[in-house]
Amino acid sequence: MEDEHIALGDYRGDNNVGFHGVATDEFLVLPPDFKRSEIVSGQKMRKVERMRISNTDLIGLFASANSEGILLPDIVSDHEKSMLEDSEIDFRVLETEYTALGNMVMVNDTGCMIAEGLEPVKDEISEFFGVPVKVGTVAGLDIVGSAGIVTNNGLLLHREATEDELEFAEELFGVDGDIGTVNFGSPYVGSGLLANSHGVIAGNGTTGPETARIIKSLGFL
C-alpha cells in the first residue's frame, strides 16, 4: 500500500527504527547517518538534530519527547547536552535509576503514560512535558514506549492491549486509536515505528495490511 505519509526503512539493517530516533511535531532527533528523515520532518518541522545519546545510536530507546522538549537519562554526556543547547531543543535529564526512558514513556502534546517504576518522578515529568502524567500498561506490560506509539493525531498499541487499556490511552492522549503490529507481526509498534503528525517511518518488514492499520490508527485517513 502506497501513501504519501508513510515510508519503509531501516537503520543499519535494523527494522526497529523507533529505537533510533524521536519525532515530535516541533523537532526530530536522529543519529547522524539515519536516512529517510524527510518523511517525518515535513515543511512544518522547526529543527532536525543529528546526534547520539550516551555515545550510542539508540536515541529512541533512551529518550522520549513531545513538542516541549526531550527527556533524557543521566547517562547522557556533557557533549550531547551541549549539542541540544546549541540546537535550542529544550531537554531535561531525569535523575532516576532507569535509563531506557524511551521504553518506559509514551507521550504526545496532550498526555503522558509512564511505567510504574517512574512514578516517583511523575511530577517532574509532568512539569517538563506540560501535560498530565499517568501510570499505565499496554498489553499488561510496563514498557509502554515500546508497546505503543502516539502522535497528536492518533494512537497504535500492542496487538494484545485490552479494550480498557485502549480506552484509557485514548482518553489520556486525546486521540482515537487501535491495536496492531509492525514488521511482519511484531506487537512492539513503538519500537518499529518513528512517527509524528506529519508522517511515519515503518520498519522494512512491515506488510501492506499492517501499513493500512498504521495509517488509519495514526490519523492519516
Side-chain angles (χ1 to χ4, degrees):
M1 179 178 179
E2 293 186 2
D3 187 277
E4 63 179 351
H5 297 291
I6 191 166
L8 302 186
D10 62 53
Y11 179 73
R12 295 183 172 181
D14 184 0
N15 286 339
N16 289 306
V17 291
F19 277 151
H20 300 287
V22 294
T24 77
D25 286 358
E26 292 294 319
F27 61 85
L28 184 66
V29 180
L30 295 171
D33 53 350
F34 194 110
K35 298 179 176 63
R36 305 298 291 273
S37 61
E38 64 276 6
I39 192 69
V40 290
S41 59
Q43 296 298 319
K44 299 179 182 179
M45 186 71 66
R46 290 193 302 116
K47 301 181 180 73
V48 179
E49 179 65 21
R50 299 284 187 161
M51 62 176 293
R52 292 182 168 87
I53 291 185
S54 189
N55 202 34
T56 78
D57 297 326
L58 296 171
I59 295 168
L61 175 65
F62 288 125
S64 186
N66 73 357
S67 293
E68 293 297 318
I70 183 168
L71 192 67
L72 301 167
D74 62 8
I75 57 173
V76 65
S77 71
D78 289 340
H79 171 68
E80 291 157 354
K81 287 185 281 188
S82 294
M83 290 184 68
L84 287 170
E85 288 170 354
D86 291 343
S87 73
E88 298 183 345
I89 295 174
D90 197 13
F91 67 91
R92 175 73 59 87
V93 177
L94 199 63
E95 300 295 334
T96 173
E97 64 183 296
Y98 300 103
T99 57
L101 301 182
N103 258 357
M104 303 177 73
V105 178
M106 180 167 43
V107 63
N108 68 358
D109 293 345
T110 299
C112 178
M113 185 185 298
I114 61 173
E116 185 177 4
L118 293 178
E119 188 167 17
V121 289
K122 180 175 72 172
D123 291 344
E124 183 179 355
I125 294 172
S126 179
E127 184 272 331
F128 176 69
F129 282 140
V131 298
V133 175
K134 294 185 178 181
V135 174
T137 60
V138 176
L141 304 170
D142 62 0
I143 50 170
V144 296
S146 292
I149 187 168
V150 64
T151 71
N152 291 330
N153 288 341
L155 170 73
L156 186 66
L157 298 183
H158 187 293
R159 66 187 175 201
E160 295 179 11
T162 67
E163 184 174 333
D164 285 346
E165 287 174 328
L166 180 58
E167 290 178 357
F168 177 80
E170 288 177 326
E171 182 177 355
L172 176 60
F173 296 118
V175 295
D176 294 328
D178 205 345
I179 61 172
T181 58
V182 68
N183 287 325
F184 201 68
S186 170
Y188 297 100
V189 293
S191 303
L193 297 170
L194 183 63
N196 63 12
S197 297
H198 310 311
V200 189
I201 300 176
N204 268 331
T206 304
T207 66
E210 287 174 328
T211 298
R213 178 69 67 93
I214 292 163
I215 291 170
K216 182 178 180 181
S217 299
L218 294 184
F220 294 116
L221 289 180

